[in-house]
Amino acid sequence: MKPRKIKENIYWMGSVDWDRRLFDSLVPLPDGTSYNAYLVEGSEKTVLLDSVDPARADELLSQLESVPRIDYIVSHHAEQDHSGTIPQVLAKYPKAKVIATPKAKPMLMDLLPIAEDAFITVEDGETLSLGDKTLQFIRTPWVHWPETMVTYLQEEKILFSCDFFGSHIATSDLFVSEEGRVYEAAKRYYAEIMMPFRNIIAKNLEKLAPYDVEMIAPSHGQIYTRPAFIMDAYRDWVHGSPRNTVVLPYVSMHGSTQKMVDYFVASLVEKGVRVELFNLAVTDIGKLAMSLVDAATIVVGTPTILAGPHPYAAYAAFLANALRPKTEFLSIIGSYGWGGKTVDTLAAMVPNLKVEVLDPVLYKGVPSETAFKALDHLAHTIAAKHRENGYTNEGKKS
Ligand code: FEO
C-alpha cells in the first residue's frame, strides 16, 4: 500500500498483513493485523514514528522512496513488530537519530543492530520541535513492555499510541469504520497483552486524561477519530466490576465430562447466570482471554488423565493465572476413572488469582443423578454469589 494522508504533512505508512494468523507463536489473529508507522513532516524536521515487522521491511522502504530526509525515528516500543525495520531505515537515513525512553534504548540495542550513538533518550513529558509542529513524549509503561511511551502531537492533537489502544485488524479502511468490530478486536488485544498490568494501565489512562486528544493513531489496526470510544472501553475493562458470567473452558475425552458440562451450563442459565463456553480441543485462545476480562467466575471442566488435569485444562489454568483477570470465584468440574490429584494440581497452578474457590464437582465415571445434583448445587452457589455481590450482565448494580 502507498502512504496515506491523515492530515496535512502527516501520513500513515506501514503494512497491512492480511494473512498473519498467529502472533508471538501464541496469539491467534483471526482478522490479520497491520503494522502502522507514521510520517510527520514539520517545517524544519521530519520524523518517522515506529517502523514495521522485519518481514514487511520492503513495503516501508518503498513507501520511503519519495521521502528525501528523516531526522528522527521515534521508537515507542522495542518489540520487533514496531522496531524491527529501524536498522534498514537508519541505513537509508544514516544521520537520523532514534528517539526512545532510557529503558527502551538498551532493549533496542539487545534486539537490533543499532549503534549507541544513534540514540537520543527522552524523559517523561519532554518535547521536541519539528518547526511548526511539536512532539511530546509521555511515558506509558507496560503497554505492552516496561519501556513503552506514546507521543502527542500538540498542534494536531494526535496521540500516537503504539500497542496502547491497538487492535489486530487487517483492513483497507484507515479510520475506524465499524466500532463494534474494533471494540471486539481491541478487547481481545487488551486481554492478551495488557490485562495483567491493568493497575498500571489505569495510571496511564489517568495520565492521558488531561490531554486534548482528537485522534488516536495506534501501531496496529485503525485510527480512532472518536478517541472517547476506545478510552471509555479501556476504562470499563480496567475499572468495571466483574459481570454475572461464568467462563467455562473444558475438555472431554469420552463424553462424561461433556455430559457434566452440558448439564451445568443448562443449570446456570436456568438460574440466570450467563455462560461463555470454550471447548479447549478446538477453541480460539484469544476469545477465551477476552471472555476473562469481565467474568466473575471461572469453572474449569476437565477429565482426570495421568492422575491430573487434562493438559488442555492445565493450559487454560496457566493462561488465566498469567492474565490475572478480575475474576472472584473459581471451581472445577469433571469426571475421573479411578482417582488422581486434579483439583490440587489445578489449584496450585493459579496462585495469581485472588479468588474464592467453590467446592469442585468431580465424579467417578459416567455422571448420574448424584453428579447432577452436585452440579445444580454449584450453579446455585454461583448464582447466589453473583447476586450477593450485585453482579449483573452489565457489571455491578450501583
Ligand atoms: Fe505490537 Fe508489543 O508489539
Side-chain angles (χ1 to χ4, degrees):
M1 228 176 266
K2 292 187 174 166
R4 303 177 76 182
K5 187 171 172 179
I6 298 171
K7 286 194 172 191
E8 206 53 43
N9 296 323
I10 303 170
Y11 298 88
W12 171 91
M13 289 190 172
S15 180
V16 178
D17 196 341
W18 301 85
D19 296 333
R20 189 159 180 181
R21 285 293 172 266
L22 205 56
F23 200 86
D24 291 346
S25 298
L26 173 69
V27 175
L29 304 178
D31 297 314
T33 191
S34 69
Y35 317 106
N36 306 334
Y38 297 96
L39 187 78
V40 178
E41 295 174 327
S43 56
E44 291 172 17
K45 303 284 185 187
T46 297
V47 61
L48 181 72
L49 296 120
D50 289 324
S51 69
V52 295
D53 191 280
R56 297 294 172 132
D58 289 351
E59 202 170 340
L60 178 63
L61 292 172
S62 88
Q63 291 162 345
L64 289 171
E65 267 170 20
S66 57
V67 178
R69 199 179 93 184
I70 284 183
D71 300 285
Y72 305 108
I73 304 162
V74 172
S75 179
H76 291 118
H77 175 22
E79 193 166 14
Q80 293 94 322
D81 52 326
H82 309 293
S83 67
T85 303
I86 290 176
Q88 287 101 313
V89 177
L90 276 175
K92 181 172 166 58
Y93 305 98
K95 290 186 179 160
K97 292 290 178 191
V98 177
I99 294 179
T101 64
K103 213 170 222 174
K105 177 181 161 184
M107 291 173 80
L108 286 161
M109 290 174 67
D110 286 344
L111 297 170
L112 299 163
I114 304 176
E116 183 163 12
D117 62 5
F119 284 94
I120 297 175
T121 57
V122 287
E123 296 302 326
D124 189 18
E126 198 171 325
T127 57
L128 175 73
S129 173
L130 307 178
D132 59 349
K133 295 184 177 60
T134 314
L135 302 181
Q136 184 170 10
F137 306 106
I138 307 163
R139 285 280 287 122
T140 49
W142 294 103
V143 290
H144 98 264
W145 286 359
E147 85 295 5
T148 43
M149 68 172 181
V150 298
T151 298
Y152 180 60
L153 176 53
Q154 292 178 342
E155 291 76 6
E156 302 291 347
K157 300 177 180 171
I158 301 176
L159 185 73
F160 297 96
S161 63
C162 201
D163 277 350
F164 204 10
F165 306 121
S167 62
H168 285 307
I169 296 182
T171 167
S172 61
D173 294 335
L174 186 56
F175 300 101
V176 171
S177 45
E178 290 174 61
E179 287 189 348
R181 185 179 176 214
V182 174
Y183 180 92
E184 174 151 343
K187 186 175 185 182
R188 173 190 274 263
Y189 195 48
Y190 162 83
E192 287 161 344
I193 65 169
M194 292 182 210
M195 182 158 61
F197 316 115
R198 67 177 175 281
N199 292 339
I200 302 169
I201 309 288
K203 287 187 185 140
N204 289 336
L205 288 168
E206 242 173 68
K207 196 170 183 180
L208 293 177
Y211 291 86
D212 183 9
V213 177
E214 289 183 355
M215 192 181 276
I216 296 179
S219 295
H220 294 293
Q222 295 165 294
I223 296 170
Y224 301 89
T225 52
R226 202 170 75 78
F229 151 64
I230 191 65
M231 286 181 152
D232 287 349
Y234 260 73
R235 280 186 200 106
D236 181 41
W237 300 334
V238 168
H239 296 294
S241 81
R243 304 215 161 133
N244 174 35
T245 301
V246 169
V247 171
L248 208 172
Y250 80 98
V251 59
S252 185
M253 287 157 58
H254 297 290
S256 294
T257 297
Q258 180 77 56
K259 278 194 179 82
M260 293 177 71
V261 165
D262 291 345
Y263 185 90
F264 185 55
V265 169
S267 184
L268 285 166
V269 171
E270 196 179 44
K271 293 167 182 60
V273 178
R274 290 185 66 249
V275 180
E276 300 219 26
L277 186 65
F278 298 94
N279 180 344
L280 294 165
V282 294
T283 203
D284 168 346
I285 285 295
K287 259 206 175 308
L288 171 59
M290 187 167 51
S291 75
L292 293 172
V293 170
D294 35 33
T297 299
I298 302 172
V299 177
V300 179
T302 179
T304 293
I305 173 173
L306 303 172
H310 191 286
Y312 285 173
Y315 180 38
F318 181 85
L319 184 73
N321 185 60
L323 295 178
R324 300 170 186 239
K326 50 193 169 195
T327 310
E328 298 279 346
F329 307 102
L330 175 77
S331 194
I332 300 162
I333 64 172
S335 163
Y336 63 94
W338 54 89
K341 293 187 181 294
T342 292
V343 170
D344 293 346
T345 307
L346 278 180
M349 290 184 73
V350 290
N352 293 340
L353 300 185
K354 306 300 173 216
V355 289
E356 178 183 343
V357 178
L358 307 177
D359 285 345
V361 180
L362 288 201
Y363 192 77
K364 192 163 188 278
V366 177
S368 67
E369 275 312 305
T370 316
F372 295 142
K373 267 191 192 146
L375 289 169
D376 276 332
H377 181 70
L378 178 59
H380 174 80
T381 304
I382 290 170
K385 296 270 183 196
H386 288 194
R387 261 197 316 275
E388 280 162 22
N389 283 283
Y391 299 150
T392 67
N393 293 352
E394 289 76 42
K396 191 164 187 163
K397 273 187 192 159
S398 53

